[in-house]
């Protein structure tokens, strides 16, 4: 299991020529539960609009998010699902690598192929992912739209941030240390 990069090129002995093409392939462990993780205001201390306007070195992760996700990746498969437009694929992947987040697939919103509503986009995307990864069971996010998408897909929900009201079937935490206690330490 893990993330692998596959590079393909037509043989030099061929009469044809082709550019080298690379693709990332994620092989998950079917025995591990899978966690969907949002990016903006969940692992990145910025909104998606703010991310569009700033360079990667000015965007900080939430405290302990990279370390906790590295620990989580030992017991869980991770998948990032974001409403960031797909034009930010390379910038986002560079940011994740810069802060040493674990290798995991990242699914982006595509203006032409998904609804404008964040909740509808994430609900549909997760529903499609669950056809491939049957063990998607936990979602971590910061917005009500994340919670709606996770609950709609029958997942356990962890909302990071401040919450004044009690939300049924949702665990509210204020930081990544609480997520670590909830998913790692309580599992032992």
């Amino acid at each position: 299991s893990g993330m692998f990069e596959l590079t393909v090129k037509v043989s030099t002995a061929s009469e044809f020529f082709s550019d080298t093409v690379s693709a990332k392939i994620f092989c998950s462990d079917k025995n591990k539960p899978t966690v969907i993780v949002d990016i903006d205001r969940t692992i990145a201390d910025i909104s998606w609009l703010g991310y569009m306007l700033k360079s990667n070195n000015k965007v900080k992760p939430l405290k302990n998010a990279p370390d906790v996700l590295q620990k989580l990746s030992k017991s869980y498969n991770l998948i990032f699902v974001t409403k960031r437009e797909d034009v930010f694929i390379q910038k986002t992947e560079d940011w994740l690598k810069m802060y040493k987040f674990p290798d995991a697939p990242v699914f982006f919103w595509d203006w032409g192929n998904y609804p404008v509503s964040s909740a509808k986009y994430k609900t549909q995307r997760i529903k499609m992912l669950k056809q491939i990864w049957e063990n998607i069971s936990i979602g971590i996010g910061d917005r009500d739209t994340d919670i709606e998408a996770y609950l709609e897909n029958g997942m356990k929900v962890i909302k990071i941030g401040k919450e004044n009201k009690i939300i049924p079937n949702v665990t509210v935490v204020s930081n990544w240390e609480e997520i670590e206690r909830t998913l790692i330490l309580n599992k032992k």
Side-chain angles (χ1 to χ4, degrees):
S1 66
M3 184 78 78
F4 303 94
E5 189 158 342
L6 176 67
T7 303
V8 180
K9 183 176 180 172
V10 173
S11 166
T12 55
S14 171
E15 64 183 90
F16 300 100
F17 173 78
S18 147
D19 291 333
T20 301
V21 177
S22 294
K24 290 182 180 176
I25 299 172
F26 179 71
C27 297
S28 66
D29 182 342
K30 288 186 174 191
N31 296 318
K32 290 182 181 179
T34 300
V35 179
I36 300 286
V37 183
D38 179 44
I39 294 180
D40 298 311
R41 298 265 188 240
T42 301
I43 64 168
D45 194 9
I46 198 162
S47 68
W48 68 269
L49 181 60
Y51 185 74
M52 291 179 1
L53 304 172
K54 291 191 176 190
S55 63
N56 273 347
N57 61 354
K58 294 193 178 189
V59 178
K60 301 299 179 204
L62 288 180
K63 185 179 177 190
N64 296 319
D67 294 335
V68 172
L69 282 171
Q70 283 292 352
K71 291 175 187 175
L72 275 176
S73 70
K74 293 175 181 20
S75 301
Y76 298 88
N77 296 312
L78 302 176
I79 301 173
F80 295 106
V81 175
T82 180
K83 193 174 177 203
R84 287 183 181 177
E85 173 68 35
D86 61 1
V87 296
F88 293 102
I89 290 172
Q90 191 61 56
K91 182 180 178 185
T92 300
E93 288 178 353
D94 291 346
W95 182 84
L96 290 166
K97 192 175 289 184
M98 179 173 36
Y99 286 104
K100 298 180 174 64
F101 282 93
D103 283 334
V106 184
F107 291 89
F108 294 82
W109 182 60
D110 177 355
W111 176 259
N113 293 325
Y114 287 100
V116 176
S117 160
S118 181
K120 286 182 183 175
Y121 155 66
K122 287 189 176 183
T123 299
Q124 287 178 7
R125 172 61 81 182
I126 294 166
K127 189 177 203 175
M128 289 180 353
L129 290 171
K130 286 184 91 168
Q131 293 173 8
I132 301 165
W133 284 287
E134 296 171 3
N135 55 351
I136 293 175
S137 56
I138 302 168
I140 302 172
D142 69 303
R143 299 181 65 209
D144 289 343
T145 54
D146 299 327
I147 280 74
E148 182 180 331
Y150 301 151
L151 290 174
E152 189 74 26
N153 280 285
M155 300 163 63
K156 175 181 178 178
V157 179
I158 298 175
K159 182 176 184 182
I160 190 162
K162 295 180 172 96
E163 188 63 53
N164 295 329
K165 61 184 180 205
I166 295 174
I167 306 169
N169 303 315
V170 175
T171 301
V172 179
V173 298
S174 58
N175 55 50
W176 276 91
E177 294 85 4
E178 290 181 47
I179 292 173
E180 179 179 14
R181 284 192 296 275
T182 301
L183 294 180
I184 297 174
L185 301 177
N186 288 344
K187 191 175 182 182
K188 294 180 179 178

